[in-house]
């Protein structure tokens, strides 16, 4: 009997990531990415049976063409019948969506109207949904929202200190992102500690190109560092994270920046890149510290780790008990240096990182990195695609 799989789609403005996942055992039969969409250099990379094929896309070089190539590939390898549904990562679900949702025209309309809050993401997510509807007209499509897990936050965590009607009338509040990842690693952490998710409380740190920290109390998100948009919170690859909002007026009124220039500065030229003046990639900054003892690289890393540690410590105000600190994301899963520096600042929370364990748990491994007698610190590789596949399958089965 053939295994049912879910096609998981994650659309960016010039890319479309996909994987065909068996939601029961997590097996990935096909994965890949279409890149440089909207340009004549557009191509699609497909990994299947340990082989990678790279195919140039034809005009109009868009998301639709990329999916047509994928459909042809699935047909050629007799895999189309195994696809039971399609799960889409959608960035912003606003207050309307706290659960995975079967896509229909109303849902598409509300994803479109939420583009006001996520102009860079929701419109391209919608392009992916519509391209998939055309490529797989007979299949059900499910939206899994990045904001959904954080819908359990209490008002005291999500209301900003600005006039309340801006929340009531315009939806300006903290939403939080990376929800699927925080949910996944919290679930895995609870399993590792042998308790149900509903009894797990702790802090999850998703540290990648974008970084966010989440306070989880008895299985629910109760606070998180990103806000109305993914610009808020800790310092990231190119994003500033939290700054004094008056810096924006200073840039505009005193230094002559336009609003768009400030937007670019804070989203694309700040963070690790802006401080180090070297790179947004942690590996480059770490190399500069280890090989050259570079002063600017050291300062960048100190700022990055201090801000993460400070946020983790502040979340002690949000949770009722503290089972574990969990690291995930490209940096959290791989950088023992950053985990060690973050841990060093949290000694008063009885966090003590074991150097040998810390250097051993990298490159896709999961494990604990704390000394005996310390608060539990875990490294758990995230798997947002698997969550999307599982939630999609679950919803489809409920509807049958
Ligand atoms: P993500 O957005 O989760 O894919 O994470 C991407 C980031 O992870 C990259 O920009 C790197 O900064 C970081 N990263 C990946 N591998 C390593 C590594 N071995 N050591 C330190 N940082 C890493």
């Amino acid at each position: 009997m053939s295994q049912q799989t879910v096609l998981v789609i994650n659309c960016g403005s010039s890319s479309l990531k996909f994987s065909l996942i068996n939601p029961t055992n997590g097996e990935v039969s096909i994965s890949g990415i279409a890149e440089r969409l909207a340009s004549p250099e557009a191509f699609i990379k497909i990994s299947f049976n340990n082989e990678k094929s790279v195919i140039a896309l034809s005009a109009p070089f868009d998301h639709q063409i990329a999916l047509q190539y994928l459909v042809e590939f699935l047909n050629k390898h007799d895999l189309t019948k195994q696809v039971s549904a399609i799960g889409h990562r959608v960035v912003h679900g606003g207050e309307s969506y706290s659960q995975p949702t079967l896509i229909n025209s109303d849902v598409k309309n509300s994803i479109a109207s939420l583009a006001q809050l996520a102009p860079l993401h929701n419109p391209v997510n919608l392009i992916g949904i519509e391209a998939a509807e055309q490529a797989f007209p007979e299949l059900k499509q499910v939206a899994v929202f990045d904001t959904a897990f954080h819908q359990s936050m209490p008002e005291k965590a999500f209301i900003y200190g600005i006039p309340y009607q801006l929340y009531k009338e315009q939806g300006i509040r903290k939403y939080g992102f990376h929800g699927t990842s925080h949910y996944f690693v919290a679930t895995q952490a609870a399993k590792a500690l042998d308790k149900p998710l509903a009894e797990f409380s702790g802090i999850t740190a998703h540290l990648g190109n974008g970084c966010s920290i989440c306070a989880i109390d008895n299985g629910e998100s109760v606070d998180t560092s990103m806000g109305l948009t993914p610009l808020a919170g800790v310092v990231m690859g190119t994003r500033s994270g939290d700054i004094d909002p008056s810096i924006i007026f200073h840039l505009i009124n005193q230094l002559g920046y336009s609003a768009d220039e400030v937007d670019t500065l804070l989203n694309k030229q700040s963070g690790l890149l802006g401080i180090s003046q070297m790179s947004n990639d942690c590996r480059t900054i770490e190399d500069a510290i280890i090989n050259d003892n570079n002063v600017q690289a050291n300062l960048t890393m100190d700022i990055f780790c201090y801000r993460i540690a400070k946020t983790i410590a502040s979340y002690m105000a949000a949770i009722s008990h503290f089972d574990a600190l969990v690291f995930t994301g490209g940096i959290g899963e791989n950088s023992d240096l950053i985990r060690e520096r973050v841990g060093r600042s949290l000694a008063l929370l009885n966090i003590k990182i074991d150097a040998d364990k810390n250097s051993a748990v990298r490159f896709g491994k999961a494990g604990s990195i704390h000394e005996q007698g310390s608060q539990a610190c875990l490294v758990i590789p995230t798997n947002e695609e698997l969550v999307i596949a599982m939630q999609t399958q679950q919803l489809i089965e409920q509807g049958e």
Side-chain angles (χ1 to χ4, degrees):
M1 203 183 86
S2 67
Q3 294 281 345
Q4 286 298 288
T5 54
V6 172
L7 177 62
V8 175
I9 292 180
N10 182 356
C11 260
S13 55
S14 61
S15 69
L16 186 153
K17 262 197 236 167
F18 55 87
S19 39
L20 204 55
I21 303 181
N22 179 327
T24 315
N25 59 18
E27 230 169 67
V28 177
S29 43
I30 289 192
S31 65
I33 185 165
E35 285 183 88
R36 302 203 188 175
L37 297 175
S39 87
E41 286 90 49
F43 64 89
I44 185 166
K45 230 181 340 190
I46 304 180
S47 302
F48 173 57
N49 274 348
N50 295 323
E51 273 181 33
K52 275 194 182 131
S53 18
V54 181
I55 308 158
L57 295 176
S58 52
F61 315 112
D62 58 5
H63 294 78
Q64 184 71 51
I65 289 287
L67 280 180
Q68 273 176 27
Y69 274 81
L70 178 61
V71 171
E72 277 168 30
F73 191 92
L74 294 175
N75 285 338
K76 197 166 110 192
H77 294 90
D78 211 14
L79 291 166
T80 316
K81 283 203 191 80
Q82 290 182 23
V83 188
S84 60
I86 301 186
H88 293 268
R89 173 181 181 232
V90 179
V91 168
H92 220 303
E95 287 190 323
S96 315
Y97 299 104
S98 58
Q99 296 294 332
T101 302
L102 199 60
I103 297 172
N104 57 26
S105 55
D106 288 345
V107 174
K108 281 196 287 179
N109 288 340
S110 71
I111 293 172
S113 63
L114 285 162
Q116 201 195 339
L117 295 173
L120 298 180
H121 296 104
N122 274 31
V124 288
N125 295 155
L126 208 51
I127 288 173
I129 290 170
E130 287 177 341
E133 281 175 341
Q134 289 195 28
F136 302 91
E138 70 293 350
L139 291 184
K140 290 191 174 148
Q141 319 243 352
V142 170
V144 177
F145 298 92
D146 239 27
T147 47
F149 181 59
H150 301 300
Q151 277 299 300
S152 46
M153 283 189 291
E155 266 199 325
K156 68 177 179 191
F158 72 69
I159 296 289
Y160 290 119
I162 57 176
Y164 193 67
Q165 69 266 27
L166 285 170
Y167 162 57
K168 277 306 195 199
E169 292 164 14
Q170 305 295 332
I172 295 178
R173 51 159 283 182
K174 175 185 281 197
Y175 289 96
F177 299 87
H178 290 145
T180 310
S181 175
H182 289 296
Y183 165 75
F184 177 75
V185 298
T187 311
Q188 298 302 109
K191 258 190 209 158
L193 299 175
D194 208 14
K195 48 165 62 186
L197 178 63
E199 287 170 24
F200 171 79
S201 293
I203 312 294
T204 50
H206 178 111
L207 310 177
N209 253 326
C211 301
S212 71
I213 319 289
C214 182
I216 294 173
D217 197 42
N218 291 320
E220 293 190 330
S221 168
V222 287
D223 205 346
T224 190
S225 57
M226 283 178 169
L228 173 75
T229 73
L231 179 57
V234 295
V235 168
M236 305 177 219
T238 61
R239 288 174 237 161
S240 63
D242 292 345
I243 58 166
D244 177 345
S246 290
I247 292 172
I248 295 169
F249 312 121
H250 186 81
L251 289 169
I252 292 174
N253 297 330
Q254 310 298 324
L255 302 180
Y257 279 69
S258 68
D260 280 350
E261 284 168 344
V262 175
D263 192 327
T264 305
L265 179 100
L266 298 180
N267 274 294
K268 304 210 167 115
Q269 299 164 346
S270 295
L272 298 179
L273 174 67
I275 305 168
S276 71
Q277 301 174 357
M278 204 179 276
S279 172
N280 64 319
D281 194 308
C282 260
R283 286 164 288 200
T284 310
I285 297 168
E286 287 188 9
D287 284 349
I289 294 171
I290 294 162
N291 300 327
D292 303 329
N293 201 15
N294 183 293
V295 174
Q296 198 66 16
N298 237 317
L299 171 67
T300 306
M301 210 47 96
D302 273 347
I303 295 168
F304 183 69
C305 295
Y306 175 60
R307 289 277 293 268
I308 293 166
K310 212 160 64 151
T311 306
I312 293 168
S314 75
Y315 283 168
M316 292 305 120
I319 58 178
S320 57
H321 61 283
F322 186 21
D323 292 318
L325 168 63
V326 184
F327 290 99
T328 194
I331 297 171
E333 291 166 29
N334 294 303
S335 176
D336 48 345
L337 185 139
I338 287 171
R339 295 188 306 230
E340 195 274 327
R341 283 198 188 191
V342 170
R344 214 191 300 159
S345 300
L346 294 171
L348 289 180
L349 294 182
N350 188 30
I351 285 177
K352 294 183 198 121
I353 305 286
D354 180 288
D356 291 338
K357 286 185 185 173
N358 191 26
S359 57
V361 185
R362 301 175 72 197
F363 311 126
K365 284 192 193 149
S368 64
I369 55 167
H370 55 274
E371 282 179 9
Q372 204 170 5
S374 154
Q375 178 64 52
C377 294
L378 309 174
V379 175
I380 299 178
T382 195
N383 194 341
E384 288 156 283
E385 285 81 9
L386 177 60
V387 176
I388 295 173
M390 287 166 65
Q391 295 188 339
T392 297
Q393 186 67 21
Q394 229 168 28
L395 197 67
I396 300 295
E397 282 168 4
Q398 278 165 12
E400 275 168 2

